[in-house]
Amino acid sequence: MSQAASEVLDYVLAGGTVIDGTNTPGRRADVGVRGDRVVAVGDLSQAAARERIDVSGMVVAPGFIDSHTHDDNYLLRKRDMTPKISQGVTTVVTGNCGISLAPLADAAPPAPLDLLDEGGSFRFTSFAAYLQALRETPAAVNAACMVGHSTLRAAVMPELHRPANAGEIDAMRALADEALASGAIGISTGTFYPPAAQATTEEIIEVCRPLAEHGGVYATHMRDEGEHIVAALEETFRIGRELDVPVVISHHKLAGKPNFGRSTETLAIIERAMTEQSVSLDAYPYVAGSTMLKQDSVLLAGRTLITWCKPFPELAGRDLDEVAAERGKSKFDLVAELQPAGAIYFMMDEDDVQRILAFGPTMIGSDGLPHDERPHPRLWGTFPRVLGHYSRDLGLFPLETAVWKMTGLTASRFGLAERGVVQPGFFADLVVFDPEQVADAATFDRPTERAAGIHSVYVNGAPVWREQGFTGEHPGRVLNWSGQ
């Protein structure tokens, strides 16, 4: 027994199978915690501990890291973070798709920035002020925060539907520099969306120049995930090369029936790029996506569910085809009348979803929208769905690989030091789950059902989820970029 383990431990998780987040076989071991750290892993039957928790038959793993969230505002508004801790998530990566809560003061932010808004939410004129608010009123989970390029555009440009001029690029670069100096772990873009659709590649490169000095990731919801996805991938790789920074391709998918099956093509392209530069990707385990309701023929080609609608709130949860039929209009034309609104789009092929999930370096990110009236079930079910449906039931990959894809792999790609692995000296972000029972329960009809099989969750050593409920603890911290 080590000297550290010979001292009194706060608690021991005893008798479980440790799957440590390194994609190596699980082993029977106890895990000892003192303060915010794991201090011992092994046979701790003789160790002195204030509490010994029997987790026999359970898996002890690193807390899951949600690589793609829009929890920027939810961390402040709903600090218990129940949709996340109830499925084993201990860290969320925010500021994705070019959308961050700061730096922007705007009572009526443009779509899709309004996906984060609950009225008066965009009030932080500096990224430092936003991070300070997170530190002063911590949530139940850790937060690693990126600054969004679309938010920078909204803060600087009076008109978004054009390329930025030199002065505006300089102003955005200065805001990006402040955000990274304050603790942002990277910059994200969402050129798929109207506020950034007219941004040139050169604009993005110049705005993101501070990444070279401060370090951090460049994450992107690419310009196109359908017919022109190869060109979008090449643009993404070019930005990473020009800046010499790690790239993360957000929620990789092939949208629209004409593109079904093309993941064989795109994954081969991504794999080749990985041999030449730092490229990562994440995905969510569903054939439907969710975002703003948009007049997009590819998105609207399949079934579309309304998740929220400001002018007609009673339509939340309704099928867009049914509403269009009732009103005697095409659903494409109806979209304009329902703005602002959000939707779920059934636009992907299951074979592509499985192929992307099974691709070795793919991380897991929920892309959940916590402020939606009727959210996509991925908000509550992503991680148990990977563990239960895709790993255990379908055998897409071993349980150890599933855990790695949502822990150690993600921590390394987002520069989160001493996170994502169960080993002495690392932070005690831990989840205990039943490998036979873990499963997602949220559905498109009942999207907020809590997952099954999650026994307990610990963040920085403190229990946040026990006996199927929030413990009242808020031990989350703001995490900084520490490199790869």
Side-chain angles (χ1 to χ4, degrees):
M1 191 183 305
S2 69
Q3 176 63 34
S6 67
E7 301 172 11
V8 177
L9 302 169
D10 290 337
Y11 57 88
V12 172
L13 300 175
T17 297
V18 174
I19 296 180
D20 67 5
T22 63
N23 203 17
T24 55
R27 63 188 178 100
R28 160 65 180 84
D30 307 324
V31 178
V33 175
R34 186 185 307 112
D36 60 2
R37 304 274 180 161
V38 172
V39 296
V41 180
D43 181 359
L44 303 179
S45 57
Q46 303 304 310
R50 295 183 178 89
E51 184 179 12
R52 190 170 295 274
I53 304 162
D54 183 6
V55 294
S56 300
M58 302 281 185
V59 166
V60 180
F64 306 139
I65 302 171
D66 192 337
S67 68
H68 190 103
T69 83
H70 295 284
D71 292 335
D72 311 50
N73 192 27
Y74 207 66
L75 289 159
L76 297 170
R77 296 295 181 104
K78 301 290 183 181
R79 295 167 55 219
D80 58 279
M81 296 296 289
T82 299
K84 298 303 172 73
I85 61 174
S86 64
Q87 56 177 314
V89 171
T90 58
T91 296
V92 296
V93 179
T94 70
N96 283 284
C97 298
I99 307 165
S100 60
L101 201 60
L104 178 65
D106 193 332
L113 275 65
D114 58 355
L115 295 173
L116 304 183
D117 192 27
E118 287 190 352
S121 300
F122 281 84
R123 56 188 175 86
F124 300 102
T125 55
S126 73
F127 210 81
Y130 169 64
L131 294 183
Q132 185 60 27
L134 289 179
R135 294 186 181 104
E136 290 175 353
T137 55
V141 300
N142 302 311
C145 308
M146 293 185 289
V147 62
H149 168 247
S150 292
T151 297
L152 298 178
R153 284 187 126 236
V156 165
M157 298 176 64
E159 166 55 52
L160 296 173
H161 301 293
R162 60 170 174 80
N165 61 39
E168 290 162 343
I169 289 172
D170 288 344
M172 284 189 277
R173 187 191 303 115
L175 290 174
D177 185 74
E178 181 275 332
L180 293 166
S182 300
I185 66 160
I187 301 175
S188 76
T189 58
T191 45
F192 171 79
Y193 292 111
Q198 297 305 312
T200 65
T201 308
E202 289 70 25
E203 172 190 324
I204 294 167
I205 291 170
E206 292 306 315
V207 169
C208 292
R209 289 287 181 197
L211 282 172
E213 175 188 351
H214 297 285
V217 297
Y218 170 72
T220 181
H221 180 156
M222 298 189 303
R223 209 175 286 274
D224 194 293
E225 295 176 315
E227 180 182 359
H228 304 293
I229 192 168
V230 172
L233 284 169
E234 293 301 334
E235 179 186 42
T236 298
F237 302 150
R238 180 195 161 194
I239 292 167
R241 288 194 305 270
E242 292 273 353
L243 297 170
D244 192 24
V245 298
V247 166
V248 177
I249 300 165
S250 294
H251 45 55
H252 183 46
K253 69 174 78 69
L254 283 304
K257 194 170 182 179
N259 298 297
F260 287 4
R262 291 186 65 195
S263 59
T264 55
E265 174 189 3
T266 60
L267 291 175
I269 292 170
I270 292 168
E271 192 166 30
R272 284 196 298 273
M274 286 176 168
T275 67
E276 300 173 353
Q277 63 187 107
S278 178
V279 177
S280 305
L281 72 162
D282 61 40
Y284 49 79
Y286 298 86
V287 296
S290 183
T291 185
M292 61 183 283
L293 184 60
K294 188 181 180 188
Q295 279 185 315
D296 185 301
S297 58
V298 173
L299 295 180
L300 295 172
R303 184 187 180 203
T304 303
L305 298 176
I306 301 167
T307 56
W308 61 277
C309 179
K310 195 164 185 179
F312 306 102
E314 69 277 8
L315 296 181
R318 294 287 307 278
D319 189 301
L320 186 63
D321 279 311
E322 294 177 358
V323 177
E326 290 172 2
R327 301 192 178 196
K329 298 186 175 184
S330 75
K331 61 182 179 182
F332 188 88
D333 292 335
L334 179 61
V335 166
E337 293 182 18
L338 304 186
Q339 297 296 332
I344 292 169
Y345 304 96
F346 291 81
M347 57 180 175
M348 290 171 275
D349 177 60
E350 177 66 19
D351 287 344
D352 283 323
V353 170
Q354 291 192 26
R355 193 175 293 115
I356 292 168
L357 288 174
F359 182 62
T362 300
M363 301 177 287
I364 306 301
S366 71
D367 197 15
L369 298 172
H371 303 286
D372 281 6
E373 185 71 22
R374 286 286 298 262
H376 190 302
R378 64 191 180 186
L379 179 68
W380 290 78
T382 288
F383 295 85
R385 183 170 175 80
V386 171
L387 297 171
H389 179 63
Y390 284 103
S391 176
R392 182 190 61 230
D393 299 343
L394 297 186
L396 199 60
F397 32 65
L399 186 58
E400 290 85 354
T401 299
V403 168
W404 171 69
K405 284 174 170 288
M406 51 184 74
T407 58
L409 174 63
T410 315
S412 68
R413 294 296 185 263
F414 283 93
L416 307 180
E418 299 177 337
R419 307 275 174 180
V421 177
V422 180
Q423 73 176 49
F426 274 49
F427 289 96
D429 295 340
L430 303 166
V431 58
V432 180
F433 65 88
D434 184 335
E436 300 303 319
Q437 299 298 320
V438 66
D440 59 310
T443 65
F444 291 99
D445 292 327
R446 302 181 65 180
T448 60
E449 293 293 309
R450 296 178 182 180
I454 303 296
H455 174 274
S456 52
V457 181
Y458 303 81
V459 175
N460 296 310
V464 296
W465 185 259
R466 280 181 171 173
E467 298 179 354
Q468 291 301 296
F470 173 52
T471 64
E473 299 275 354
H474 298 91
R477 299 174 184 174
V478 174
L479 306 185
N480 296 322
W481 167 265
S482 61
Q484 291 179 295

